[in-house]
Amino acid sequence: MKAHRRGIPRLTWFKLAVCICLAAMAASLFTPYPAQLIRALKGEPEQAPPDSGACTPHESPPAEQAGQDAPAATAPSASGKEPEDERLYIPWTPERTIALPTVQYPPFPPVLPTKPAEGAMTHIYELSRGLNLKTQVNFQPGTLASRDRETKSNYQMTISLNVKQPKALMKKEDILKLNPKLETMLPGLSTLFRNARVSPYYGQIYVRKQTEIRKNLASLLKLLDRHNYYDTETILEIAYPGTGRKLLWLQSEMDVVSDGSDGDRLTAMPDKILKSSFYQPSTSYRWKKRTDKPNPLLKPWQQRLASYKKTLEKAPSAEKTALRRKIDHAERVIEELKRYSFLISEYDPFIVVPLGIVNQSSPFSPQFGDYAVVIVGDKLYPALVGDAGPRYKTGEGSLRLSREINPKAGPYSRPVSDLKVSYLIFPGSAEPEAGPPDYEKLTARCRELLNEIGGTGKEFKLHQWEDLLAPKPPPAPKPESGGAAETSADKRKKEGTPGNKSEPDAVPAVSPQTQPAPSAAKNAA
């Protein structure tokens, strides 16, 4: 019995597992998995079951278009099997492209230059004009010099500009600290500030200042200094109750602008202006020429244009683009000088408003030619909105206005450096037809506008401008030479006819050989 058991092979667990695997492999030959495995190895697309009606994972069924008939059902083949779907063999392509909106990022400061500029080096305190510059050097322990010199961060300077953002002035008490006489000059000041709101232009001005700083952070010479950054105390929008008169109150300083020309009123200008490359011959407020007198700056600009064209012929390619821009600008200026007349800073009182404020859609946005009153101390000066300046700068007046406020003012010397200048601008008050300033009408119209916002104090009057370009009356005849001048009464007594107004006899010219007769005064002596 024991020998018989030794002849029978023993069934182990390993042999049983092998047998099960072989049986499973044999059974899998009757399933679709081997075919799928072969197609996957060959890279062929997956076939859907005949009755499922599903599409491949990478293909979506085509949408039925409006107005089109549904596709006809495919007839089964003769073998009884449905034909294969042709979409299985078409490669996948995207059906549509989605365009995302462009993301606008705020401007970032430019990268600091890695190489120093060529030329003479200047003391850093001179470069930082208007900046409160603080310097500090930190020495830290390092390694060997041969190693430390290879790392740029071991020897670097970091520039950090700290700026405090001001708030707009809104209270009457604060404006009286700048000019205590305002309450006496403007009886309606309390009503004005009760109905005032900060204009959006105030925030826009300082946003543009920040953008200008970010743009020029790498160059301390171009960076806005502290004085020009804090040049706007407030911008208020006021609608006076009762009259509805709109007022834009700008509190700032006053810089000087010296531009403009008008051939109809001023036919000649000094050589320093004619030869200046900085003087701008036009202002934003303009009107059509009324005479055929040429603008005095027309000829210098024509000569400048001819010089640009001559230089362009021999200029290298790198400089031609800049020269073409100069030529285009000169041609536009010449065309304007032929067609229009402009204000003249030295003769006309006007103010300058930033580009981002003037000619906007807001009802409080001033237009060129609007009337304005400038208050400095206890003086009220009528003016016009005559020109547009940089978007980040407020507080500018013409040379005529500046010198009336401060006789020492000039193109490079401002009349008022503190934020004590009140610009009262009346939007929508411009005349329907532009023209040269009428100073009598300017004063009368500004007085009417002030009355619509509460009027002025009894002891305060608007300044009356004199037209310096008006034709002068003929000079009075000079008295006769020798002795004191005779009065008309003396002449009548001398002639014996009180009512006679005949002309005196002409004095004969003295010949070179004849000595003049002694005067009456000498005879009396």
Side-chain angles (χ1 to χ4, degrees), residues 161-359:
L161 179 62
N162 301 316
V163 182
K164 284 193 174 182
Q165 178 64 31
K167 295 181 180 180
L169 182 149
M170 293 186 61
K171 297 180 180 180
K172 184 188 74 171
E173 294 77 13
D174 294 332
I175 198 73
L176 291 178
K177 292 178 182 178
L178 297 175
N179 189 353
K181 299 180 180 179
L182 281 176
E183 193 166 20
T184 309
M185 300 174 69
L186 301 175
L189 185 67
S190 299
T191 306
L192 288 172
F193 272 80
R194 279 198 305 268
N195 295 272
R197 67 174 184 180
V198 178
S199 174
Y201 298 135
Y202 178 84
Q204 294 177 13
I205 287 289
Y206 277 97
V207 167
R208 294 187 179 106
K209 290 177 183 290
Q210 294 172 4
T211 303
E212 193 71 13
I213 288 176
R214 290 191 180 100
K215 184 174 64 176
N216 297 320
L217 186 59
S219 175
L220 296 180
L221 284 175
K222 296 181 181 179
L223 200 62
L224 276 177
D225 58 18
R226 183 175 62 254
H227 183 95
N228 286 322
Y229 185 82
Y230 298 106
D231 65 355
T232 308
E233 186 76 350
T234 191
I235 303 177
L236 300 176
E237 296 178 354
I238 306 170
Y240 198 81
T243 62
R245 166 56 60 188
K246 293 180 175 57
L247 172 68
L248 189 72
W249 187 308
L250 171 63
Q251 190 72 23
S252 183
E253 57 179 9
M254 181 174 286
D255 286 333
V256 182
V257 60
S258 57
D259 296 329
S261 61
D262 183 4
D264 296 344
R265 296 185 296 157
L266 186 65
T267 57
M269 301 185 79
D271 288 342
K272 63 179 182 180
I273 293 180
L274 299 178
K275 298 178 180 180
S276 173
S277 57
F278 301 101
Y279 191 90
Q280 299 299 321
S282 61
T283 58
S284 301
Y285 181 67
R286 61 191 62 188
W287 57 93
K288 291 185 178 180
K289 286 182 62 63
R290 300 182 178 183
T291 69
D292 56 354
K293 298 178 182 178
N295 191 298
L297 292 173
L298 178 60
K299 186 176 180 180
W301 274 90
Q302 290 174 337
Q303 295 173 349
R304 189 178 304 181
L305 177 60
S307 175
Y308 290 156
K309 291 182 177 180
K310 186 177 180 180
T311 307
L312 181 64
E313 298 175 356
K314 301 179 180 179
S317 57
E319 300 178 1
K320 287 187 176 181
T321 302
L323 281 171
R324 290 192 181 98
R325 286 198 295 265
K326 291 182 178 180
I327 290 174
D328 293 340
H329 174 67
E331 289 176 346
R332 289 195 300 269
V333 171
I334 290 172
E335 186 63 24
E336 289 179 348
L337 295 180
K338 291 180 178 179
R339 297 177 57 188
Y340 297 103
S341 293
F342 312 93
L343 296 172
I344 309 174
S345 176
E346 192 173 355
Y347 295 90
D348 299 322
F350 64 88
I351 63 174
V352 180
V353 180
L355 270 173
I357 296 180
V358 71
N359 282 359

Side-chain angles (χ1 to χ4, degrees), residues 121-142:
M121 299 300 294
T122 312
H123 197 281
I124 190 170
Y125 283 96
E126 297 177 1
L127 293 176
S128 61
R129 178 180 56 88
L131 296 176
N132 184 22
L133 187 64
K134 295 182 178 180
T135 58
Q136 181 180 359
V137 181
N138 300 318
F139 295 99
Q140 301 173 355

Side-chain angles (χ1 to χ4, degrees), residues 343-415:
L343 296 172
I344 309 174
S345 176
E346 192 173 355
Y347 295 90
D348 299 322
F350 64 88
I351 63 174
V352 180
V353 180
L355 270 173
I357 296 180
V358 71
N359 282 359
Q360 302 299 311
S361 58
S362 169
F364 290 93
S365 173
Q367 312 294 315
F368 296 121
D370 280 345
Y371 291 96
V373 175
V374 180
I375 302 178
V376 183
D378 59 351
K379 303 294 184 182
L380 298 97
Y381 301 94
L384 293 173
V385 177
D387 208 353
R391 297 178 181 271
Y392 53 87
K393 180 77 180 72
T394 63
E396 290 185 271
S398 66
L399 188 59
R400 173 81 185 275
L401 176 61
S402 301
R403 284 178 173 168
E404 189 66 33
I405 296 172
N406 185 351
K408 296 181 179 180
Y412 305 102
S413 176
R414 60 175 64 96

